[in-house]
Amino acid sequence: MSLPHAILTALLERPSSGLELTRRFDRSIGYFWSATHQQIYRELGRLERSGCIRALAAERPARGRKKEYEVLPAGRAELTGWVSRREDPKPVRDPLLLRMRAAAVVGTDGLPDELRRHLALHERQLADYADIEARDFSGGPGTAAGTTTEPTTGPTAEKTPEPTEAPTEADRLRHLVLRAGMDLERRWVDWLTEALREISAAPARPDGA
């Protein structure tokens, strides 16, 4: 049930058309909860039928104008309840870990190249997150940058606050989300580096073993 709640969150931050919402997902929420454009449009229809959101009336109707959606009280109540709802952690299901387990049986031929490719991807993502943090949160953990321009990418890309002496609660929570992403990427970088070192140090398997 997380996709409808992700959509409600985004629409509470700023009413948007379906097209704009999909673009915002690509730039921000999609970093930690991905969804296809078709899934987002289908969920918008369900939320509208359930009375959680509604299409805003256009001031000047025009052909081809995209409908913008806003959250209704029922949608805000659903999101508020979901935030505090009990939900167990999800088990990790990463194909790379399963492939490592399979390599213990069939050998590691070709695996180091794939591990190095994953390492480069995680290093690149970590660098992207670091750039976002430097741009949007200039004072370290729990602080926000003094800028009035809206971020264009990243898990915190929905709002940059007006200059303030102290970050708001929303700023701190957005920064926590970003830091979680950075910590995960660092862990992957460390683990992949260790995995490559272990594989290079392992004795070669005899043919047919």
Side-chain angles (χ1 to χ4, degrees):
M1 286 294 290
S2 293
L3 179 56
H5 298 107
I7 290 174
L8 288 171
T9 299
L11 291 178
L12 278 170
E13 288 172 338
R14 185 172 74 247
S16 301
S17 67
L19 179 60
E20 183 184 4
L21 191 61
T22 60
R23 290 171 176 166
R24 291 171 62 197
F25 259 72
D26 289 343
R27 298 193 306 263
S28 58
I29 292 176
Y31 275 80
F32 55 88
W33 194 267
S34 61
T36 67
H37 293 189
Q38 292 82 2
Q39 288 172 324
I40 291 171
Y41 276 101
R42 281 198 301 269
E43 200 57 55
L44 282 171
R46 293 191 187 104
L47 288 168
E48 186 173 24
R49 290 191 297 273
S50 67
C52 289
I53 65 173
R54 69 177 176 186
L56 290 169
E59 293 182 5
R60 286 180 290 182
R63 185 176 181 180
R65 183 186 296 274
K66 305 295 184 182
K67 289 195 300 184
E68 285 198 342
Y69 295 92
E70 69 174 355
V71 177
L72 295 171
R76 178 180 283 273
E78 169 58 30
L79 189 62
T80 300
W82 179 72
V83 165
S84 60
R85 194 172 301 159
R86 182 172 177 173
E87 188 171 296
D88 293 336
K90 302 297 183 187
V92 175
R93 297 182 62 184
D94 193 293
L96 184 60
L97 300 180
L98 185 57
R99 291 160 72 187
M100 288 285 287
R101 182 65 179 265
V105 179
V106 301
T108 61
D109 287 350
L111 182 59
D113 287 342
E114 180 67 353
L115 294 179
R116 281 188 283 270
R117 188 178 73 86
H118 277 250
L119 177 59
L121 291 171
H122 285 289
E123 287 175 333
R124 187 182 312 155
Q125 186 64 76
L126 179 58
D128 288 345
Y129 284 164
D131 289 343
I132 292 165
E133 184 176 45
R135 183 194 63 209
D136 299 340
F137 302 97
S138 61
T143 61
T147 174
T148 59
T149 58
E150 182 177 273
T152 56
T153 59
T156 59
E158 298 312 326
K159 174 180 175 288
T160 299
E162 297 292 332
T164 56
E165 292 185 1
T168 66
E169 181 180 46
D171 298 329
R172 291 193 296 270
L173 292 176
R174 291 188 181 100
H175 197 184
L176 278 170
V177 172
L178 176 61
R179 286 160 55 197
M182 295 176 74
D183 287 345
L184 287 172
E185 294 303 326
R186 289 190 190 100
R187 185 67 192 97
W188 272 114
V189 167
D190 290 345
W191 182 83
L192 286 161
T193 301
E194 180 183 2
L196 284 164
R197 185 166 54 246
E198 289 287 337
I199 291 174
S200 66
R205 292 167 59 96
D207 291 344

